[in-house]
Amino acid sequence: MEKAEAAAFDIRGESGNNQVVFMHLDLASLKSVKTFAETFLKSEPRLDILVNNAGVLSPGRTDDDFGMAFGVNHLGHFLLTNLLLERMQRSGPSRVVTVASHLHCIGNIKFSLLTSKKDSVTGDYIWHNFQAYCNSKLCNMLFIRELANRLEGTCVTCYSLHPGVVYTEMGRNINWWLQLFLIPFAKLFFMDPERGSQTTLYCSLQEGIEPLSGRYFSNCALQEVGSRARDDTLAKKLWELSEKFSSS
């Protein structure tokens, strides 16, 4: 919260816009998502752009006992978007932008695991954490695909994107010895956050891309997606299960 308040203070100073505010939201808690949405809807009359940008690559469970990557990267965003969707429809034209990844291509969804373990993987080792992240990125892709189908004919459009390989604190919870190896490499070869935000800004602000709702972008351009991310049956099944999870 302190970092967020400091960031909001800096943005207000640099932009001259005093309407920049911070609201607490923990996507690892469905209760927190619902509280945030309630607070937002009471205080803000409109919502033009929703960017689902949070992401974790770490072990552990959410407050609701879901695997961390599935719970934060997909389910928290799924619930948040649906709680705010009516306000976005009243504010239209508006956009939902979800940050996914090219790693969705090696993601997989096993519904038997999700229903029995509330997770997309069976273990908690480094490889399992990485695979869970890839699986959650496939969930992001399928979420946007099904959302676009459901929003067809409305004033709300939605997009998914690959931001590039960006040097952020996303991996701050991985093993310290792996961080020692990765951080110098990341500083040399990964994008900084400003460059890594360009495709997010493109999907949020670019005029004329409304007919491309539900599509996937990278480097500010339209991209093809992996075969699983084009599966409408899979997308609908994930949506229905996510509804059940987020309402329980």
Side-chain angles (χ1 to χ4, degrees):
M1 292 176 67
E2 289 181 2
K3 290 176 68 177
E5 290 285 13
F9 178 83
D10 290 343
I11 295 169
R12 287 193 294 267
E14 291 179 23
S15 66
N17 180 3
N18 289 323
Q19 300 303 309
V20 179
V21 297
F22 158 69
M23 295 184 187
H24 179 264
L25 168 62
D26 180 2
L27 287 164
S29 164
L30 297 180
K31 180 180 179 180
S32 176
V33 175
K34 293 171 185 175
T35 300
F36 168 85
E38 184 179 346
T39 302
F40 180 90
L41 293 172
K42 286 180 179 177
S43 61
E44 300 296 331
R46 60 182 299 118
L47 177 57
D48 300 284
I49 303 168
L50 172 64
V51 179
N52 292 320
N53 181 68
V56 294
L57 198 172
S58 66
R61 312 288 289 188
T62 70
D63 286 3
D64 307 279
D65 200 34
F66 293 99
M68 190 63 73
F70 176 79
V72 172
N73 300 355
H74 167 64
L75 194 60
H77 286 136
F78 173 87
L79 177 60
L80 177 67
T81 303
N82 278 284
L83 291 174
L84 299 178
L85 203 51
E86 184 179 343
R87 181 61 48 87
M88 298 192 78
Q89 290 172 323
R90 291 187 357 216
S91 305
S94 52
R95 296 182 183 184
V96 178
V97 178
T98 294
V99 179
S101 170
H102 284 335
L103 289 172
H104 79 269
C105 292
I106 56 174
N108 194 14
I109 297 176
K110 295 181 179 178
F111 288 100
S112 59
L113 264 183
L114 286 176
T115 53
S116 63
K117 303 291 187 182
K118 300 176 78 171
D119 202 353
S120 65
V121 293
T122 56
D124 215 21
Y125 294 106
I126 292 173
W127 166 250
H128 292 115
N129 296 334
F130 176 73
Q131 186 61 53
Y133 179 81
C134 299
N135 297 346
S136 73
K137 295 294 106 178
L138 176 59
C139 290
N140 291 155
M141 302 287 288
L142 292 169
F143 165 55
I144 287 297
R145 187 174 183 89
E146 178 64 13
L147 182 62
N149 290 337
R150 290 170 180 254
L151 291 174
E152 189 173 359
T154 73
C155 58
V156 183
T157 54
C158 55
Y159 314 90
S160 59
L161 66 99
H162 173 66
V165 184
V166 188
Y167 178 51
T168 67
E169 294 183 359
M170 189 185 74
R172 62 188 178 275
N173 293 316
I174 63 176
N175 289 337
W176 65 269
W177 57 266
L178 192 58
Q179 290 189 47
L180 287 177
F181 169 75
L182 287 176
I183 289 175
F185 181 84
K187 286 183 175 179
L188 284 173
F189 298 107
F190 290 9
M191 294 183 189
D192 61 32
E194 183 175 354
R195 286 181 60 205
S197 68
Q198 295 309 303
T199 304
T200 300
L201 292 170
Y202 180 89
C203 291
S204 300
L205 303 171
Q206 182 64 33
E207 296 180 359
I209 65 170
E210 289 80 7
L212 300 176
S213 183
R215 302 293 296 276
Y216 176 61
F217 290 79
S218 179
N219 292 321
C220 300
L222 194 63
Q223 298 288 322
E224 293 302 315
V225 303
S227 58
R228 292 191 187 99
R230 299 193 299 269
D231 189 330
D232 284 323
T233 301
L234 191 64
K236 185 176 181 181
K237 189 173 181 180
L238 176 65
W239 184 285
E240 292 171 351
L241 182 62
S242 300
E243 277 187 326
K244 181 180 177 181
F245 280 159
S246 59
S247 62
S248 57

